[in-house]
Amino acid sequence: MADLSYQDTAVPTPQETEFIISDENSRRITSLRFFLILFVVLLHNYDAILDFLQPDAPGGLLNPTFFDVLKKAPLLFLSVSLGSCAVPLFFTFTSYFQNAKHYSYCTLLKKKFYSLVVPYTLWFVLVMLVQILPRLFLNIFFPSHTSDPSYIPFISKWDFFDWIKAFTGYNFRSGEPFLDSPYIVPFWFMRDLIILTLLAPVLRFLTEKFPFLFLGVLCANLVFFQRNYYILLDSSLFFYTVGLYLARYRNKIDIFAAVDKIKWIEIMPIVIVSWYVYLVAQRPPAARALSALSAGVVFLKASKYLISKEKIYKFLEFTSKYTFFVYAIHKPILMRLVNKAFHIVIRSKCLPALYLQYIVVGFGTFASGLLIAIAVKKICPKLFGLLNGGR
């Protein structure tokens, strides 16, 4: 029977210090963190592309035409196509390093508690305080400016289940979907990663005992059905498992060497066609999966050029220390503030204004988050360490 535990490498043997990743591939992964977080921020800048992201919402496009796509093609390509692979790549990278290092299960849980659970909880508390304290201040000192000074807006009517949903994204109310995003929407990634870490021994067992069957089932679901796993998104489990397989066969498979052999003229048509089909054909799961996978190839290939110039790489390496902080702070508060500031100046909703909003708010949020992260680390490094998960 396959071993369900992880090897304890506190005193590594020569066999246990086997190759994990080459220096070049490590640099390539580091170089991608800046751009992957940037694309996550751009994806969450909904104003310009909301009609495509939520076709059933008021003003949404149920059956977009070629001209509808063409009008916003650059924005949609950046967010819906290239942006779709950012979180999947993070799942894959995290799983790879987690499983390639053969931590004992207790060591793994301890490490992930400090790198995931602690920042997850602290950021939730911080965001709630930032939301509540200004409202509380107005209610106490300027009651005439509030419609009802007896309660704090937006959380005053929350019950226990509302708080659970806000923290975890799990909805325990009957008649509503159980799996949702937490109040800090991007943290669904961390929530799923925490669950996957807890399930790591089981997933390791399945990949060792039933390697082809297990991966085949996950692939079939991702491509044909797109069914979530009650407490996990389908894409979370799939891309985490991909990282586990890459770790297991790391001496035989070099994913960067493999994608380097793919020519740009071969991959770009796949990226563009899958992206377009996904937008105009009622979101078929196969198009969604192919779009994310092909966009991931684009990023992996591009990393070779990002490390070719030492000055560019040094900048990307420096900023990579702050990317998690930017990821955590950008939504819901920071992007909302930047967006409000933009709309004070630009009130029009014409197409050029949407393009300008996409650029200014997206890049402005990213740059602001990066500057705040650098400032927090300089002023209070211990707080930064806790909020950044020790990264």
Side-chain angles (χ1 to χ4, degrees), residues 1 55 68 73 120 181 192 254 259 295 298 316 336 366:
M1 183 174 181
D68 291 327
Y120 187 101
S181 296
D192 283 14
D254 184 341
V259 299
V298 169
L316 297 175
R336 183 188 302 165
F366 182 84

Side-chain angles (χ1 to χ4, degrees), residues 108-343:
L108 176 66
L109 293 182
K110 183 178 179 180
K111 285 179 174 291
K112 293 306 177 182
F113 176 80
Y114 289 107
S115 64
L116 292 175
V117 178
V118 170
Y120 187 101
T121 305
L122 288 178
W123 275 107
F124 179 77
V125 172
L126 181 62
V127 167
M128 287 294 108
L129 289 176
V130 171
Q131 298 279 60
I132 294 170
L133 292 180
R135 292 170 165 84
L136 186 61
F137 178 84
L138 285 174
N139 287 338
I140 294 174
F141 295 102
F142 302 97
S144 61
H145 293 274
T146 60
S147 59
D148 186 348
S150 65
Y151 68 89
I152 303 172
F154 109 90
I155 67 160
S156 60
K157 297 181 180 179
W158 280 13
D159 59 17
F160 175 76
F161 294 111
D162 291 320
W163 281 102
I164 292 295
K165 180 182 177 182
F167 184 69
T168 66
Y170 296 144
N171 190 348
F172 289 91
R173 297 188 184 280
S174 60
E176 297 182 20
F178 176 77
L179 186 60
D180 204 342
S181 296
Y183 186 78
I184 306 177
V185 175
F187 274 22
W188 68 264
F189 163 75
M190 295 179 65
R191 176 202 63 201
D192 283 14
L193 195 54
I194 292 169
I195 300 300
L196 288 164
T197 300
L198 294 173
L199 295 175
V202 177
L203 299 177
R204 185 184 177 97
F205 168 77
L206 291 173
T207 58
E208 292 177 354
K209 192 70 175 178
F210 311 102
F212 298 107
L213 176 62
F214 184 50
L215 186 60
V217 170
L218 297 184
C219 285
N221 184 46
L222 185 78
V223 173
F224 298 110
F225 306 108
Q226 198 175 326
R227 296 287 186 268
N228 294 323
Y229 301 100
Y230 193 65
I231 59 173
L232 288 168
L233 294 179
D234 62 317
S235 58
S236 303
L237 180 57
F238 176 81
F239 287 103
Y240 181 91
T241 304
V242 168
L244 203 159
Y245 275 93
L246 291 176
R248 184 184 179 194
Y249 299 107
R250 60 188 176 278
N251 292 322
K252 299 179 180 179
I253 301 175
D254 184 341
I255 190 65
F256 284 99
V259 299
D260 286 344
K261 295 178 181 179
I262 302 174
K263 298 179 180 178
W264 287 108
I265 197 172
E266 295 172 333
I267 191 60
M268 289 312 298
I270 299 175
V271 173
I272 294 171
V273 171
S274 60
W275 158 74
Y276 180 77
V277 171
Y278 177 74
L279 289 175
V280 301
Q282 303 296 322
R283 311 291 192 272
R288 169 209 182 206
L290 188 58
S291 179
L293 290 169
S294 58
V297 172
V298 169
F299 274 102
L300 294 177
K301 282 183 62 64
S303 65
K304 184 176 183 178
Y305 303 95
L306 295 176
I307 66 171
S308 61
K309 301 293 183 181
E310 193 62 22
K311 289 184 178 180
I312 295 176
Y313 174 73
K314 288 298 182 183
F315 169 77
L316 297 175
E317 183 183 36
F318 170 76
T319 57
S320 69
K321 307 171 200 170
Y322 305 99
T323 51
F324 175 80
F325 193 101
V326 176
Y327 174 82
I329 200 175
H330 84 276
K331 195 174 179 68
I333 296 175
L334 186 58
M335 179 169 284
R336 183 188 302 165
L337 294 175
V338 176
N339 196 38
K340 285 184 177 180
F342 174 83
H343 285 297

Side-chain angles (χ1 to χ4, degrees), residues 318-319 322 325 369-379 384:
F318 170 76
T319 57
Y322 305 99
F325 193 101
L370 190 59
L371 292 174
I372 293 171
I374 294 172
V376 172
K377 184 179 181 183
K378 187 174 182 63
I379 297 169
F384 175 84

